[in-house]
Amino acid sequence: MRRPPTLKTIEIFASVQGEGLRQGEPTIFVRLAGCNLRCGFCDTKKAWRGGRERPVDKIVDEVIRLRGDHPATWVCLTGGEPLAQDVRPLIGRLHREGFRVQIETNGTFPPEPEADWHSVSPKPPDYAAHPGFKKGAREVKLVVCRTLDLDAVRTVRAAFPATVPIILQPQSNSPWSVRKAVGLLEAAGRAGLEGLRLSVQLHKVCGLR
Ligand code: SF4
């Protein structure tokens, strides 16, 4: 008999989406364990290893329980790197319960065709993303870390259609990073790069998870 699908998870919680174009929308987060990268600025290092193997059905039960107190129609699969695991069975179950599913990914694995929204955040040093995200990305987020420069922004801008916004997200909302992000916006404008914008992590501003 086939084993029911499981996923290694760190936590499941209700909050608002603090990042990107969906900022402010009530959302239930499923944080999956494991990541193939090791970014120095990572603010979710707790997801790099460990986690609990949970049956997909139990994850969905928990999401439905949280919806009882929280008016969310979106579930965000985050990490770690959620696409390092097979999330398709979970997405199918969540769709059957009426949720839409966002995936926050570093872009190194192929996109998941069943997902409703991919937020792609290419990472240094090469800022590479799987070519499938040319079609699959709804937004691109760049953490404004110490090493991000205009050449990297230019590389990322060229890798995605002009209709996909590139969101500069200051590292941990730090003042130095906000200043750098504004400088990059100005430099990008002078260089003729379009579709860039600034956005801070709302959940951190508001003291939410
Ligand atoms: S890709 Fe994301 S989760 Fe993975 S190490 Fe980098 S910032 Fe952390």
Side-chain angles (χ1 to χ4, degrees):
M1 209 170 92
R2 248 176 87 196
R3 251 182 96 225
T6 60
L7 287 167
K8 207 169 241 196
T9 61
I10 299 289
E11 58 186 351
I12 303 171
F13 61 96
S15 187
V16 295
Q17 175 54 271
E19 299 181 0
L21 300 178
R22 290 197 49 255
Q23 194 177 65
E25 288 191 82
T27 301
I28 296 169
F29 291 83
V30 178
R31 187 181 306 287
L32 296 171
C35 187
N36 57 321
L37 302 184
R38 290 290 181 268
C39 308
F41 53 75
C42 182
D43 59 2
T44 53
K45 291 189 172 100
K46 65 180 179 185
W48 284 1
R49 55 182 68 86
R52 192 172 133 208
E53 195 88 35
R54 291 195 225 208
V56 163
D57 283 350
K58 296 280 180 216
I59 297 171
V60 175
D61 287 349
E62 179 62 6
V63 169
I64 291 169
R65 189 189 70 74
L66 288 167
R67 177 169 60 179
D69 304 323
H70 192 80
T73 57
W74 280 92
V75 174
C76 178
L77 309 185
T78 189
E81 174 45 57
L83 291 176
Q85 301 185 62
D86 179 9
V87 294
R88 192 169 298 187
L90 175 60
I91 294 174
R93 289 279 289 106
L94 290 169
H95 279 163
R96 283 202 285 285
E97 297 299 333
F99 290 102
R100 286 168 292 173
V101 180
Q102 175 181 15
I103 296 180
E104 292 182 328
T105 175
N106 61 32
T108 54
F109 292 88
E112 170 46 62
E114 299 298 320
D116 301 284
W117 187 295
H118 285 101
S119 299
V120 186
S121 185
K123 295 295 192 285
D126 55 2
Y127 290 93
H130 187 280
F133 286 111
K134 263 191 192 297
K135 269 196 177 167
R138 288 290 292 273
E139 60 185 349
V140 173
K141 293 183 293 185
L142 285 179
V143 177
V144 183
C145 60
R146 296 278 181 194
T147 56
L148 182 72
D149 60 15
L150 189 61
D151 283 344
V153 174
R154 195 180 271 115
T155 300
V156 173
R157 180 66 286 171
F160 294 91
T163 49
V164 175
I166 294 182
I167 297 163
L168 299 183
Q169 188 171 282
Q171 180 179 330
S172 302
N173 294 346
S174 308
W176 67 264
S177 185
V178 174
R179 284 194 299 276
K180 180 170 179 176
V182 172
L184 279 169
L185 276 181
E186 292 169 353
R190 286 193 293 272
L193 303 179
E194 294 182 350
L196 275 80
R197 63 174 79 185
L198 171 72
S199 179
V200 296
Q201 291 174 295
L202 182 69
H203 55 296
K204 291 185 181 170
V205 173
C206 298
L208 302 170
R209 283 178 91 180

